[in-house]
Amino acid sequence: MRNFTPIDNDVKRVFFAPDTDLDYGDFAVYVYIAMHVRVKDGDLKGLAYPTKKRMQSDLSIGRRKLSEAIEKLVRYGFIIAVKVPNKYGGKPLLHYRLSDEWKKEDKEEVEVNEDANENVSEELSGEMRDIIDWL
């Protein structure tokens, strides 16, 4: 299996909490970036470099929606955008690093949302709960 990326359940709880402005498109962008994080390559280890054009194509998402999703992910502390010098000259390249900042500022909110998610999940059908648990 290539690009296997385990996603922490706490990340999913934040994304799918009823009081957040994050949506499935934002989650798709996060997962896509997580799948492209380098585990080798020395100085670039831990960074992901999927171009916006490639993400748009692979995720079937528009340029504006992609930019909004990246801005939200940075604002919520899920990713950090890092400019890396282009070895061929020209503009620096935008790489992404996964971040745990979302844990620090939203720790209490995540715990509160877990209780809210339990109430919501009681209202969901069994099939929908299975899908959410699978995510």
Side-chain angles (χ1 to χ4, degrees):
M1 179 181 280
R2 292 184 69 185
N3 290 341
F4 174 74
T5 306
I7 303 296
D8 187 340
N9 283 332
D10 289 335
V11 168
K12 292 181 271 187
R13 285 185 189 102
V14 172
F15 269 96
F16 301 117
D19 62 343
T20 184
D21 67 338
L22 296 166
D23 61 26
Y24 288 101
D26 303 327
F27 186 66
V29 172
Y30 175 78
V31 170
Y32 189 88
I33 290 171
M35 287 173 46
H36 288 84
V37 171
R38 292 182 177 116
V39 293
K40 297 181 183 176
D41 290 339
D43 293 343
L44 299 177
K45 183 177 181 179
L47 294 176
Y49 177 60
T51 63
K52 286 187 176 183
K53 194 168 221 55
R54 177 79 188 263
M55 282 192 276
Q56 284 178 259
S57 174
D58 289 349
L59 296 173
S60 298
I61 190 172
R63 181 174 40 186
R64 192 178 98 228
K65 175 63 179 162
L66 177 63
S67 293
E68 289 172 359
I70 290 172
E71 288 174 20
K72 283 185 198 176
L73 294 174
V74 169
R75 189 175 71 235
Y76 274 84
F78 286 105
I79 64 171
I80 298 170
V82 179
K83 289 185 179 181
V84 176
N86 188 335
K87 67 180 179 181
Y88 301 110
K91 293 183 194 177
L93 303 173
L94 193 59
H95 287 63
Y96 307 98
R97 179 182 306 279
L98 299 182
S99 172
D100 288 335
E101 289 298 313
W102 61 272
K103 289 180 182 180
K104 295 176 185 168
E105 58 187 313
D106 292 334
K107 186 65 173 166
E108 292 176 16
E109 290 179 9
V110 169
E111 292 173 9
V112 170
N113 289 338
E114 284 177 320
D115 294 335
N117 284 343
E118 288 176 13
N119 295 336
V120 170
S121 66
E122 290 174 6
E123 298 171 12
L124 297 174
S125 69
E127 182 178 307
M128 184 59 92
R129 269 186 265 140
D130 292 342
I131 291 170
I132 291 172
D133 290 340
W134 176 80
L135 288 173

